[in-house]
Structures are given as structure tokens and as C-alpha cells.
Amino acid sequence: MPAIQSLPAQTPAARQGNGLRLENISKHFSASADTRLQVLDNVQLDIAPGEFITIVGASGCGKSTLLRLILGLDEEFDGRILLDEKPIKGTGLERGIVFQDHRLFPWLTVEQNVAVGLKNAPLTPAQKRDTVREHIHLVGLQDFTESYPHQISGGMAQRVAIARGLVNRPSVLLLDEPFGALDALTRTRLQRELQNIWQHEKITMVHVTHDVDEAVYLGDRVVVMQPHPGRIRRIVDIDLPQPRNRSDARFIALRDDVLSDFAELS
Ligand SMILES: Nc1ncnc2c1ncn2[C@@H]1O[C@H](COP(=O)(O)OP(=O)(O)OP(=O)(O)O)[C@@H](O)[C@H]1O
Ligand SMILES: [Mg+2]
């Protein structure tokens, strides 16, 4: 798999603003005509512009539901979601998403798949082409622009999905277990690359993972959720310099600390 290029430093413009505020978010689903399932209970979180938040928690504790609400796919919830102090309304170009399965169109090339992300962008065709190429370069796939999804590896496909999620230059990128389906080596490599991209793009990341090691490796803060109903159990500051060293005693201590929550929950 090709490596991503060394990236030139960018101005920190994208770090301005007030960030993302989740204010008393509660969410119910109708399980049947007369039963309501509470999935999220009073989730409150202030995310600073440019912060990398990772979310871990048992299956079913509402992590994907929370991302769907932030993305604006589901507007039926209690509470408010504010981006730079303005309530979000539906989906918007300032919020991108990457899912666990890459969701690329098999009949489109890498370049065309990334361009899908720009469908609604107010850009000329030439600006779109340049932006697509820039983002393909960002994820190190410049030699694969004409390839189709079946011609590239799972890790490369996930990098295409990341490029597509970033191509609108969102201020927030939401990632729902983006590396969950990858082998351990590829996952470790993409974690490093994602961190590199984050430092380059200076955007806010909200990254859901089942992997506590990944959460501590990437996050400025790790949000630990617990189920029935889904809520924040605690938030752990990861006050370690980036890039992190997994064999550092402080890293191991923080990882074990977060893991201990899971032992208590199971
Ligand atoms: N559209 C829906 N209708 C009814 N219930 C739903 C719906 N979507 C999710 N749920 C329920 O909400 C709860 C939370 O689901 P969600 O997918 O957000 O969990 P999760 O934390 O992302 O889990 P996982 O780690 O397995 O991905 C689950 O009990 C699920 O069954
Ligand atoms: Mg999920």
C-alpha cells in the first residue's frame, strides 16, 4: 500500500469558531406501537474546534445513533446540536462522514467516487477536479485515480472514503468505526495516517471505535459510553504528545484505565 505524502503545514484557519456542542441529547425509538426504547440519555459534550474526540462503548450504547444525529440524518431527538453556536439543520457540507464499510460505488473510479462528495458543492468543474485530486493526494492514492474499488485493497478503499469525507473541507469529520473491518497492520497504519491528516487539515474529528488502543492513540479525549440507555460514563483526557508511543508507560496506563471501564460494564 502506498504511503501518504509528507504534508505541507496549513494555516490554522479551520481551528477558529466555537466548535461542536451536544446539549442534553436524548433519543428514543419506537420499538413497537406502545413501547419506546431510550437509546441516548442526556448526552452533553462540548468539542473544541480542531479537537480529536474518540468515542468507545459497548455495542448498542448509541454511538452510531449519536453520529447520525450530528450528521443530521435524523432530526427527531431532544436537545440541541450546535456547530459554531448555530443549531444544525439536516445534513450539510460542513459535516463529513466515513463509515465502517467504505460505501464506494463499484462502477465508479477512485477519482469519481471522491467527486461524489462534491456533488452539491458550489464549485466550477475545474475547481472540483483540482479539489478531488488534492484529496486523493492527501490520502496517498494519486497512482490509483483510475482504479475501480475491486482493484484496490480494503485499506485503500477506506482511504478513498476518507478523501470523500474530507473533499468538501468540512469543519467536522465523523468516523464510525472506519478501521473496524481492516487487519491489524493496516489498521495501525491508517491510524497514523488519519492522525497525520488531522494535523494537516486541523478539523474536528469525532471518531467512534471499538478499539480502546485506537481511541487512546488518536484522541485528545476519550468519551466512554455505557448502554441502557446510552450515556456518557466518563471522559478521559489523553494528555500525551502526538504522535503517541504505544509502549510509553503513560500510554499503557491510560489504555488500561479505559479498558477497566469495560471490565466493570461486562
Ligand atoms: N432505526 C432504529 N429503530 C429502532 N431501534 C434502533 C434503530 N437504530 C438503532 N436502534 C437501536 O438503538 C440502539 C443503539 O444502536 P446504535 O447502532 O446507535 O449502537 P452502537 O453503539 O453504534 O452499536 P455498535 O457498537 O454495535 O455499532 C440499539 O439498541 C439499536 O437496536
Ligand atoms: Mg455503531
Side-chain angles (χ1 to χ4, degrees), residues 29-31 37 39 57-66 176-177 208 210:
F29 285 112
S30 302
L37 174 72
V39 174
S59 185
C61 71
K63 304 179 297 296
S64 297
T65 302
L66 187 61
D176 196 354
E177 298 186 44
V208 166
H210 270 123

Side-chain angles (χ1 to χ4, degrees), residues 226-247:
Q226 69 183 85
H228 313 304
R231 57 200 185 279
I232 294 179
R233 176 184 173 86
R234 68 174 173 139
I235 298 175
V236 182
D237 284 321
I238 310 297
D239 193 13
L240 298 176
Q242 307 259 15
R244 294 188 175 136
N245 175 358
R246 288 184 156 90
S247 43

Side-chain angles (χ1 to χ4, degrees), residues 15 20 45 47-55 67 70 96 98 138 162 165-166 170-175 178-179 190-191 193-208 218-221 223:
R15 280 195 195 256
L20 182 65
L45 186 63
I47 303 175
E51 192 174 16
F52 203 130
I53 289 287
T54 50
I55 302 179
L67 287 197
I70 300 172
V98 180
L138 183 69
I162 292 172
L166 288 170
S171 55
V172 179
L173 185 66
L174 308 165
L175 302 110
F179 309 143
L190 284 191
Q191 288 163 359
E193 295 188 1
L194 183 66
Q195 197 213 32
N196 204 347
I197 289 169
W198 168 65
Q199 288 181 326
H200 176 253
E201 298 288 299
K202 314 224 183 288
I203 62 176
T204 309
M205 298 282 200
V206 184
H207 178 119
V208 166
L218 290 172
D220 288 321
R221 288 188 290 162
V223 175

